[in-house]
Every structure is written in C-alpha cells, then in structure tokens.
C-alpha cells in the first residue's frame, strides 16, 4: 500500500519548486526590464587559477571565464604589452571584465576554499591562451580587479590548473551593457619617457657538477617594495621579468629546457632579491 500523504507531500514540493522557478525567471526578466543598461549572461569556463590570500594563506581559486557578451579591450600587440607593463601607470589600458561574488567551494582535498568568477571577452581570452605573457597579464589584471573590488590582498605566486577549467558550477552574471563615462587625466609627455633598467642577476646550476637538476635565477631589485609590482614569465628557455612602474626589465635566454609548470618564484622584500627556481628537463 502507498501512503497517500507522502504522495501529496511530494506533489506539493514539486509544485513549490515549479513556482519558485517561475518566480525566479519573472524576477530576472523584471531586473532586465527595469534596468535596460544590464543583462544576464552565462559564461563559458576558461582557466582556473589557484592562489592564496595574504597574510592568512587561505586557498583562493579564480575562474577566468569567457563570453562574447563582454566587450573586447583595444587591440594590443606583444610589443605594446611589454611597454604597458613597463609604464609608470598602466591603468590607461583597461580590460573589460565582470567580477562575480565570492562563493564557497570544496577543493580536491575536501577542504573549504573561496572561489571568484571573472568573465572577459571570448576572443581576447582565446588569444591570451596562445601567448604565456598575455595569459599572465590577464591573470594579473583579474587579481588586481578582485583586490580593488573586495579589498583583498592575493599572492602573486599563482598556478594555472592543468586539468580543471572551473571550480564549482558556472553561474549567471549580471553585466552592464552600457559603459560608464571615463574621465582621463592627460599627463605631460615628458613624464612618460622613463626607461626601465636591466637588473643585476646571476644564474646558478644545481648541482654544480654532473647533470643539472635545477636552474636558479637570483635577481636584485632595489626599490621594489613587494612582489605585487612584478610580472614574471618563465618560458622553456627564456626568462622575462618586468618590475612596475618602469623600474626594471629583464629578458634573458638560457641553454636549458625548463619545466615551466613546476617552476617557483619567491621574492624577499628584506633583501629585495627575487629567486626563481626552475627544474631542468633531462633530455
């Protein structure tokens, strides 16, 4: 025998769920009708970046997503990007993005963590995946955007997860369809002529004899207060470092094949030395 009270309870719950979905759709429609300057989008997953909050070292994941509903930034060549990173005030170039609210997730270790969703233009995202420097730039502006919006301090020692494009579930975001007017202050031309210097650096091989296991770069950066002003790109046989604003720029090739994924950088603000430890791939 079937308990009719259980059936009626399940039917009521189903009706309540359907009513909730209808109200939710009506509410979203009303929001768009009442505010024609915005619309609701569902972005596509892109890359997932693992970092941590400072100084408590809590895990933070940044889901950098893609959508054609977000406008693209102005055209930018690789040479222009290098100049931009060396500029005293790179804020003149803006990447349109939507910064979502923090949401609590569970990582692979079943530990609680915080995740943020950042949405950028799909074509610009695809281009950034073809050039490591552009990818690092997008991660940097995403980190800085979250820091400014939510009053955070995030570590620059981040890592792009190889087998995960998103942590959690993709949720809708409400984005502006009309941009706010921007008032830009014009700076005297002579102030933009600062030329970055090539920093002192040493390259060490560990162990000193036999087959090398690690290539270690020690770069002196006097006047750099923290790692927040550093942009580092470790290639297979190349190391590119920019210290903003217009302090230092280093672009050096080396005769080793490097494991980029497992390379680690650490900046000592007391000695003002950046140490980059790069595992050497044995051929």
């Amino acid at each position: 025998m079937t308990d009719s009270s259980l059936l009626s309870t399940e039917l009521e719950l189903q009706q309540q769920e359907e009513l909730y979905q209808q109200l939710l759709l009506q509410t979203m429609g009303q929001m768009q009708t009442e505010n024609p300057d915005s619309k609701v989008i569902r972005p596509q997953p892109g890359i997932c970046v693992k970092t941590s909050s400072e100084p408590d070292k809590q895990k933070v994941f940044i889901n950098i997503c893609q959508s054609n509903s977000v406008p693209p930034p102005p055209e930018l060549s690789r040479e222009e990007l290098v100049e931009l990173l060396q500029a005293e005030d790179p804020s003149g170039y803006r990447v349109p993005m939507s910064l979502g609210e923090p949401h609590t997730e569970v990582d692979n270790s079943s530990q609680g963590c915080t995740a943020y969703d950042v949405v950028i233009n799909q074509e610009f995202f695809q281009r950034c995946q073809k050039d490591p420097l552009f990818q690092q730039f997008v991660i940097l502006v995403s980190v800085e955007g979250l820091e400014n919006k939510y009053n955070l301090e995030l570590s620059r020692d981040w890592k792009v997860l190889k087998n995960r494009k998103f942590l959690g579930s993709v949720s809708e975001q409400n984005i502006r369809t009309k941009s706010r007017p921007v008032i830009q202050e014009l700076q005297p031309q002579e102030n933009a002529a600062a030329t970055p210097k090539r920093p002192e650096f040493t390259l060490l091989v560990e162990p000193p004899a036999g087959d090398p296991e690690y290539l270690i770069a020690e770069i002196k950066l006097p006047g750099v207060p923290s790692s927040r002003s550093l942009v580092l790109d470790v290639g297979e046989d190349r190391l590119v470092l920019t210290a903003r604003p217009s302090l230092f720029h280093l672009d050096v090739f080396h005769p080793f094949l490097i494991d980029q994924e497992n390379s680690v950088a650490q900046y000592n603000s007391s000695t003002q030395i950046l140490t980059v430890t790069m595992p050497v791939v044995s051929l």
Side-chain angles (χ1 to χ4, degrees):
M1 297 291 291
T2 304
D3 191 342
S4 60
S5 63
L6 291 176
L7 291 175
S8 61
T9 302
E10 289 181 3
L11 183 61
E12 288 176 1
L13 289 174
Q14 183 178 357
Q15 291 173 342
Q16 290 176 2
E17 177 65 21
E18 291 175 353
L19 180 60
Y20 170 76
Q21 294 295 335
Q22 291 176 2
L23 290 173
L24 181 62
L25 291 173
Q26 291 175 6
T27 303
M28 298 304 290
Q30 289 174 2
M31 285 176 60
Q32 290 191 237
T33 304
E34 294 170 0
N35 186 8
D37 291 350
S38 66
K39 68 176 180 179
V40 176
I41 65 168
R42 181 176 287 276
Q44 297 296 316
I47 59 174
C48 184
V49 180
K50 178 183 177 182
T51 183
S52 60
S53 57
E54 298 287 359
D56 55 356
K57 300 295 183 182
Q58 296 296 311
K59 287 183 184 178
V60 174
F61 292 85
I62 304 173
N63 299 313
I64 301 182
C65 310
Q66 49 188 320
S67 171
N68 281 329
S69 298
V70 178
E75 283 292 325
L76 186 69
S77 67
R78 198 179 203 278
E79 292 73 20
E80 290 171 332
L81 175 57
V82 172
E83 292 179 5
L84 176 70
L85 294 172
Q86 296 171 2
E88 289 191 28
D89 183 15
S91 60
Y93 181 87
R94 295 188 180 275
V95 177
M97 60 177 57
S98 174
L99 303 170
E101 298 288 331
H103 49 98
T104 302
E105 301 293 343
V106 177
D107 64 9
N108 289 337
S109 305
S110 300
Q111 299 295 317
C113 59
T114 303
Y116 296 87
D117 303 339
V118 177
V119 189
I120 64 174
N121 176 262
Q122 189 167 25
E123 291 183 9
F124 183 65
F125 173 85
Q126 297 296 337
R127 180 186 176 188
C128 292
Q129 300 317 296
K130 300 175 183 177
D131 189 320
L133 186 61
F134 270 90
Q135 186 187 73
Q136 292 296 310
F137 171 66
V138 166
I139 297 174
L140 176 66
V141 295
S142 300
V143 166
E144 291 182 345
L146 291 171
E147 287 179 329
N148 292 333
K149 182 173 182 178
Y150 295 111
N151 194 26
L152 306 171
E153 185 173 351
L154 299 174
S155 170
R156 265 45 179 180
D157 186 16
W158 56 63
K159 180 180 181 181
V160 179
L161 302 185
K162 295 180 65 175
N163 300 319
R164 183 187 286 271
K165 295 183 177 181
F166 199 93
L167 182 68
S169 57
V170 180
S171 59
E172 295 177 336
Q173 287 202 27
N174 194 37
I175 67 169
R176 292 180 61 87
T177 55
K178 291 185 179 180
S179 59
R180 297 186 180 94
V182 176
I183 301 175
Q184 188 170 1
E185 182 181 352
L186 297 178
Q187 299 292 336
Q189 193 66 31
E190 57 269 21
N191 288 349
T195 303
K197 297 182 296 184
R198 181 182 173 93
E200 294 183 29
F201 71 96
T202 56
L203 292 176
L204 307 172
V205 175
E206 288 290 341
D211 294 333
E213 296 181 8
Y214 294 94
L215 177 66
I216 302 173
E218 294 184 349
I219 308 168
K220 297 181 180 180
L221 300 169
V224 175
S226 74
S227 60
R228 297 183 63 171
S229 59
L230 300 178
V231 178
L232 177 65
D233 179 18
V234 177
E236 289 184 344
D237 62 350
R238 185 181 183 185
L239 181 69
V240 181
L241 172 70
T242 299
R244 300 181 298 168
S246 293
L247 287 176
F248 299 102
H249 180 67
L250 178 65
D251 188 347
V252 59
F253 288 88
H254 50 75
F256 299 98
L257 186 62
I258 294 301
D259 181 357
Q260 300 164 266
E261 293 291 334
N262 293 307
S263 296
V264 178
Q266 186 173 17
Y267 184 66
N268 188 323
S269 56
S270 299
T271 61
Q272 296 185 329
I273 293 178
L274 175 69
T275 302
V276 187
T277 304
M278 299 163 281
V280 175
V281 178
S282 57
L283 298 177

